[in-house]
C-alpha cells in the first residue's frame, strides 16, 4: 500500500493524471442461463473496444428485477424478456401501473419456454403438472412470468401444484436429486443447466399442444410458436412444440446518445464473438432486432440503424 501511495504521489508530482474508466453494470440473470454468458461477452467487448469504459456482467433475478435496476440506474444495461420489457415501459400490472424509464438498444435472440422432467416421470403433458412439485423459476424472473402465463392461459394455477421458485441451476439440481418433479426454463436453447442435467439423468421435455400454444398466445401477445429441434439435448429424439419470446437489451433514457450508439454498433459488428460464446447469438441480427423489439429504441441506437440504412418501424421511434 505504501508503494502504491508513493507511486501515485510521484505521478501527481510529475503532472500526470491517470484516466479512470467509467464502470458499466450489465444486469443479466442466473449463471445457469443464457443472459449471464452473453452479458459477460458483451461486457468484454465494451471493455476492450470502447475507450473510457469497463463493463461487468452482474448475476440477478433476471427480467423483472432487471427492469427495476435499469429504471433506478443501478444497472446501465439489462437483458430482459419482451413481455416484461413491454409491461415496464407501458406501466403494466407487473409493475403496479408504474411506467419505468427504459428503452431498447436491440432484441438479441428468442427465448424458448422449456418444461423439463425425468424421462421415467408420469408427467407427459401440461395438465399432468397438477399435484406435482414444480419449479416456476427464480423470484422476479421472466421464467416465472412466462410459466404463469402458459399455466393461466390453460386453466392451471399455482393452487393446483406445489410451486417452488428456483433459479436454473437449482431447478436442474432439484430434478436430478428427485426433490421436485418438473421445472420451467425460459431461456435461449440450448442452456447449460439442462445440458448438464441431461448428462447425468435421462430427461424429457413436455410438448405443448396447438390449443395450449394458442391459449398462451391469446394471453401474451409477445409469445410466438417455437419448435425445439430434435437432438437439442441428450436423449431428445423428437422436436418439442413450445412458445418463444424475444430477449431485449435495454438501457435507461439517461444513457448518452454516443454511448448507446457505440454499444449498438459494437454489438452487431462484433456479434461473431458472442456467437462463439453461446449459439443463441446466432439470432442476433439487425433484422431480428427491428422486427421483434417491443418498445421504442434509444436515439443512439436509432443513429446506428439509420447509419447502416436499416428500415426502422415507426413504433420504435419515441
Amino acid at each position: 500500500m505504501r508503494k502504491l501511495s508513493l507511486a501515485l504521489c510521484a505521478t501527481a508530482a510529475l503532472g500526470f493524471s491517470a484516466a479512470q474508466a467509467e464502470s458499466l453494470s450489465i444486469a443479466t440473470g442466473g449463471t445457469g442461463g443464457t443472459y449471464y454468458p452473453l452479458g459477460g461477452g458483451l461486457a468484454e467487448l465494451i471493455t476492450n473496444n470502447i475507450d473510457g469504459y469497463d463493463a461487468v456482467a452482474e448475476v440477478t433475478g433476471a427480467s423483472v428485477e432487471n427492469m427495476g435496476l435499469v429504471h433506478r440506474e443501478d444497472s446501465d444495461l439489462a437483458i430482459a424478456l419482451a413481455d416484461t420489457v413491454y409491461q415496464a415501459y407501458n406501466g403494466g400490472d407487473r409493475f403496479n401501473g408504474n411506467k419505468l424509464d427504459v428503452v431498447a438498444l436491440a432484441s438479441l435472440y428468442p427465448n424458448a419456454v422449456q418444461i423439463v422432467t425425468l424421462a421415467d416421470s408420469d408427467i407427459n403433458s401440461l395438465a399432468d403438472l397438477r399435484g406435482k412439485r414444480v419449479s416456476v423459476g427464480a423470484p422476479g424472473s421472466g421464467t416465472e412470468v412466462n410459466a404463469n402465463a402458459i399455466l393461466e392461459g390453460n386453466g392451471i394455477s399455482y393452487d393446483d401444484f406445489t410451486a417452488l421458485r428456483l433459479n436454473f441451476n437449482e431447478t436442474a439440481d432439484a430434478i436430478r436429486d428427485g426433490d421436485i418433479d418438473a421445472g420451467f426454463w425460459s431461456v435461449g436453447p440450448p442452456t447449460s443447466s439442462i445440458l448438464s442435467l441431461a448428462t447425468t439423468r435421462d430427461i424429457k421435455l413436455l410438448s405443448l399442444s396447438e390449443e395450449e400454444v394458442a391459449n398462451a398466445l391469446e394471453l401474451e401477445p409477445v409469445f410466438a410458436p417455437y419448435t425445439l429441434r430434435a437432438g437439442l439435448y441428450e436423449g431428445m429424439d423428437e422436436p418439442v412444440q413450445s412458445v418463444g419470446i424475444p430477449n431485449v437489451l435495454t438501457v435507461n433514457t439517461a444513457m448518452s446518445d454516443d454511448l448507446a450508439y457505440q454499444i449498438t454498433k459494437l454489438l452487431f459488428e462484433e456479434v461473431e464473438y458472442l456467437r462463439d460464446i453461446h449459439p443463441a447469438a446466432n439470432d442476433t441480427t439487425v433484422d431480428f432486432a427491428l422486427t421483434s423489439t417491443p418498445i421504442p429504441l434509444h436515439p443512439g441506437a436509432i443513429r446506428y440503424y439509420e447509419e447502416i440504412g436499416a428500415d426502422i418501424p415507426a413504433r420504435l421511434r419515441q
Side-chain angles (χ1 to χ4, degrees):
M1 183 63 73
R2 175 176 168 76
K3 289 181 179 178
L4 177 59
S5 298
L6 289 173
L8 290 174
C9 289
T11 301
L14 290 170
F16 295 122
S17 60
Q20 193 149 19
E22 182 178 340
S23 181
L24 298 177
S25 165
I26 304 175
T28 62
T31 57
T34 304
Y35 287 6
Y36 185 72
L38 282 186
L42 180 59
E44 290 177 5
L45 285 175
I46 291 170
T47 299
N48 294 333
N49 292 278
I50 301 181
D51 290 342
Y53 292 95
D54 287 330
V56 61
E58 307 281 2
V59 175
T60 71
S63 295
V64 176
E65 180 183 346
N66 289 356
M67 291 298 89
L69 290 169
V70 166
H71 172 71
R72 296 188 301 271
E73 296 184 76
D74 291 332
S75 290
D76 301 283
L77 302 97
I79 307 172
L81 280 167
D83 53 347
T84 305
V85 171
Y86 183 84
Q87 286 223 6
Y89 180 82
N90 289 288
D93 293 342
R94 222 166 288 161
F95 299 94
N96 300 314
N98 297 312
K99 294 184 178 182
L100 304 193
D101 190 353
V102 56
V103 288
L105 298 185
S107 284
L108 300 177
Y109 66 95
N111 259 20
V113 175
Q114 300 161 72
I115 311 170
V116 180
T117 186
L118 294 180
D120 59 1
S121 166
D122 60 356
I123 300 172
N124 295 297
S125 69
L126 201 63
D128 291 339
L129 295 177
R130 289 185 170 93
K132 304 298 185 181
R133 301 161 299 171
V134 183
S135 171
V136 294
S141 69
T143 292
E144 182 175 13
V145 170
N146 295 157
N148 189 57
I150 290 172
L151 293 165
E152 183 181 337
N154 287 285
I156 303 172
S157 76
Y158 286 1
D159 293 336
D160 294 321
F161 58 86
T162 301
L164 296 96
R165 292 173 172 84
L166 308 176
N167 66 31
F168 293 149
N169 286 333
E170 291 168 340
T171 298
D173 289 344
I175 291 174
R176 183 192 63 229
D177 297 339
D179 295 329
I180 63 173
D181 302 299
F184 281 81
W185 276 255
S186 184
V187 64
T191 188
S192 60
S193 46
I194 301 178
L195 286 166
S196 177
L197 173 62
T199 63
T200 57
R201 299 295 298 272
D202 294 333
I203 66 168
K204 62 184 173 186
L205 278 74
L206 302 187
S207 194
L208 300 179
S209 68
E210 289 186 10
E211 181 181 1
E212 287 168 341
V213 170
N215 291 340
L217 266 58
E218 186 174 349
L219 194 64
E220 280 290 357
V222 299
F223 281 171
Y226 188 90
T227 301
L228 298 154
R229 62 174 175 80
L232 186 65
Y233 299 108
E234 189 172 334
M236 184 177 162
D237 299 327
E238 301 289 336
V240 169
Q241 181 62 45
S242 187
V243 295
I245 315 96
N247 291 280
V248 187
L249 181 62
T250 64
V251 297
N252 191 286
T253 56
M255 177 176 281
S256 73
D257 287 4
D258 185 62
L259 180 57
Y261 164 79
Q262 289 191 74
I263 293 173
T264 308
K265 179 181 174 73
L266 182 64
L267 171 69
F268 291 108
E269 290 189 348
E270 299 295 336
V271 69
E272 290 299 333
Y273 182 80
L274 298 179
R275 289 171 180 164
D276 288 341
I277 292 173
H278 199 288
N282 287 325
D283 289 309
T284 304
T285 65
V286 169
D287 181 64
F288 179 73
L290 295 179
T291 57
S292 301
T293 301
I295 64 170
L297 296 164
H298 190 289
I302 289 175
R303 175 185 158 197
Y304 169 73
Y305 295 122
E306 288 179 336
E307 184 178 273
I308 62 171
D311 184 15
I312 304 170
R315 64 182 176 80
L316 297 184
R317 297 181 185 270
Q318 288 183 301

